[in-house]
Structure formats: C-alpha cells, structure tokens
Amino acid sequence: MSRKISIALVLVVLAAFVGFAAWKVLLAPSDLPPDGFARGNGRIEADLVDISTRLAGRVAEIAVREGDLVQAGDVLAVMDTAELAAQRLKAQAAVASAEAAVAVAQASVAQAKAKLALSQSELSRAESLSARDVVSQANLDISRTQVQVDDAGLEAAMAGVIAKQRGVDAENANLRGIESSIADSTLYAPQSGRVLYRLAQPGEVLGGGGKVLTLVSLGDIYMEFFLPASAAPRVLLGDEARIIVDVMPDIAVPAVVSFIAPQAQFTPKQVETVAERESLMFRIRVRIPQDLVAGHLAQVKTGVRGMAWVRLAGPDGTVLDWPTGLTPPLVSVLPAPIDGAAPGTKP
C-alpha cells in the first residue's frame, strides 16, 4: 500500500513540474523586449565634483550641509585669510614705496636736465668768448666735456626712472598674486549640484588641494547600461531613449543616447539583464535633457535604479514608433521627483 502511495506522489510531482514548464513556455508573458527595441538595467548617475582649496590654510566657514542643493556661483566655503590680509598690506606698502622711488627718480631726471641746460649754456658762452680769444682752449674743452658728462647723467637718470617703474610693476604683480589668493580663499559652486559629502569642518587646517566638499553635478544626469554585440551597432548617437525607474514604472522619462563604447568588453558582474547574458557587451549612456533636469533640480538624486530603453535601427535605417507605455508625458506634467527618490534621502 505504501509503495502505491509513493508512486502516486512521484507522478503528481512530475505532472506539476511538466505543467509549470509548459506554462512558462506557452502561456507566461515573455520578458524579452519587443522587436526593434532593446533595454538594459542601470541607475541614475551624475559626475562628482571635488571642491578643493588651492592654497594651504585653515577653514573659516562652510556654508552648506550634506544634501543641500546649490547653484553655480553660490558660496560654499571660506578659508581664513588673516595671514594673506597682512601680506596684502605689506605688498601695498611696497607698491607705495616703489612709486615714491619712481617720483625721486623723475626728480633726478629734472635735475639732470637743468644741469645739462646750464652746461650747454656755459659751453655756448665759452665758444663765443673763445672766438674773441677771451677764453683759452683749455677752458673751452672743459666746458665741452662738462656737457658730455651732464648728458650722460641725464640718460642715467632716465634709465633709473625706467628701472624704478619696473620695480613698481613687480610689486603690483606681487600684490595681484596675493589678492588672487584671497579671492581663491572663497570657494564657489562651479555649477548646479547637490552636496554629497562634507569632508572638512571649520577650524581644520588643510594642505594645498585639500578637499572640502564633494558635489554631485546636476549638469549632466545620465544612465549607463550594457547591450549585447548583436544590438549595440544598431544604436546611434543622438537617438531617442527612454528611462523608467523602478519606483515609477508608469512614467517614461525622455533621454538621448550620448555615448556608445567603441570597443566591446566583458559583461561586468554587477550588470543584470533579463535575457541571457552574452560574453561581450557594449556600454551605452543615455542622457536626460538639461532643460528637463533644470525644472526638477530639487528632486533629482542619483543612485536610483531603473531601466533604459533604446530603439534599434533596421537594415534600411528605419525605426519603429515607441510602444504604449514608453511615450513620455509632457515635461509640464511630469511628476516629481523624476528619479523617484524618497524625500530627505541622500544621493
């Protein structure tokens, strides 16, 4: 009796397995994309921008916190400039001293001109008297030599003015360098972004190039995914694309193909595809238009996972229309956030 029950159980299990296999093959919906389309898993990404000091110094103030949204030109941090301010005062004094030296040199030129004019007048008088044999030839030669000496003195004085002026230029250049260092001590946001990491605190001393903050740049929001070698050559730069994030499966975000790897590579382990993986894949990047991102800066956060869709060109270059569900809504009615991140979460 027990043997019959065991055989019956085996038959039931076998029938269930065969039925499930038949349902998967014949009745279950296919996970493959429609003909003429391809897709791949990825996540919303953006470039990271390090905000660093140009010179060594102490952090005086940090004006932002992690998670804050900043616009291009916003003040992010200020370095202590007390030492630079003292150097600027010293440089300003050096400039004033150099300018005073120029004034002294110019006065010397005026004095040399007057002396030359006097010696030339005396030479003219000596030549007149020598013609009447009133002045000896020796005195006439002395007058001529004095004119030559005074003329050389004038040239030296004029050269001295030029040298002193170059000194003023050098001191001004030093002053401008110090003022540039003071200006660089205020760190501004180079573009719109979100503060990802605050790497220093007020009072800390950093070396030249020390990192203060790390921003997630919102100037270029994209998703990268991988396509097999059979599909990637049918995708072209500038083609339309769609991004659907996991938390908003009913919203198709418009995008544009901005990068196609020129060389195939082995599939990275972290990439998961619905279809069976091929050994070689091409990396594809689709970029969300900047105007769409600009309208949703407060909601955009990176790291949200989703899927990117692209259309594959046919042999004659034709492409199919986007199917239902992949036609993006108007930008004005696109719900926020476009990446589906929960409010208050960090990038």
Side-chain angles (χ1 to χ4, degrees), residues 38-42 223 225 241-244 286 306-310:
R39 65 187 178 186
N41 292 327
M223 177 180 285
F225 62 103
R242 300 289 185 263
I243 294 175
I244 299 179
V286 293
M307 183 170 292
W309 286 76
V310 292

Side-chain angles (χ1 to χ4, degrees), residues 27-281:
L27 300 178
S30 175
D31 286 335
L32 296 177
D35 291 339
F37 295 88
R39 65 187 178 186
N41 292 327
R43 62 182 181 177
I44 300 295
E45 297 184 64
D47 295 330
L48 300 183
V49 179
D50 290 328
I51 305 300
S52 306
T53 63
R54 188 174 70 85
L55 302 173
R58 187 183 304 275
V59 180
E61 177 188 356
I62 299 180
V64 294
R65 297 174 297 179
E66 291 183 355
D68 286 352
L69 181 67
V70 298
Q71 302 293 337
D74 288 351
V75 175
L76 302 180
V78 179
M79 304 296 293
D80 182 73
T81 58
E83 184 176 353
L84 289 173
Q87 294 178 7
R88 179 170 59 183
L89 290 175
K90 182 178 180 180
Q92 289 173 340
V95 170
S97 177
E99 290 175 343
V102 170
V104 172
Q106 290 174 338
S108 297
V109 170
Q111 184 180 12
K113 286 182 178 180
K115 190 175 181 180
L116 176 61
L118 177 61
S119 61
Q120 287 175 338
S121 176
E122 290 178 350
L123 174 60
S124 178
R125 186 180 305 109
E127 288 176 341
S128 177
L129 293 175
S130 177
R132 291 179 291 170
D133 293 330
V134 176
V135 175
S136 66
Q137 183 65 36
N139 288 334
L140 179 61
D141 292 339
I142 292 173
S143 297
R144 288 173 176 171
T145 302
Q146 187 62 46
V147 169
Q148 294 175 350
V149 170
D150 292 342
D151 185 61
L154 176 59
E155 291 181 358
M158 294 176 66
V161 171
I162 296 175
K164 298 298 182 182
Q165 187 60 55
R166 296 294 81 79
V168 172
D169 295 341
E171 296 297 344
N172 275 321
N174 182 48
L175 176 60
R176 286 193 295 269
I178 295 173
E179 290 176 340
S180 175
S181 297
I182 292 176
D184 287 340
S185 297
T186 301
L187 308 182
Y188 299 92
Q191 53 188 286
S192 60
R194 191 177 296 277
V195 180
L196 180 60
Y197 299 120
R198 182 164 158 165
L199 303 174
Q201 299 298 331
E204 292 186 19
V205 177
L206 302 179
K211 296 180 182 179
V212 181
L213 300 164
T214 297
L215 300 183
V216 176
S217 171
L218 298 181
D220 189 10
I221 304 298
Y222 58 88
M223 177 180 285
E224 287 189 346
F225 62 103
F226 289 80
L227 289 182
S230 59
R234 299 169 63 186
V235 180
L236 301 177
L237 288 174
D239 282 355
E240 291 185 12
R242 300 289 185 263
I243 294 175
I244 299 179
V245 292
D246 293 344
V247 294
M248 289 194 308
D250 297 331
I251 299 298
V253 180
V256 176
V257 177
S258 60
F259 173 80
I260 301 173
Q263 184 176 359
Q265 63 187 77
F266 288 100
T267 309
K269 293 182 179 180
Q270 69 271 20
V271 176
E272 298 177 0
T273 57
V274 178
E276 183 179 357
R277 295 182 183 178
E278 295 186 14
S279 59
L280 292 177
M281 307 285 279

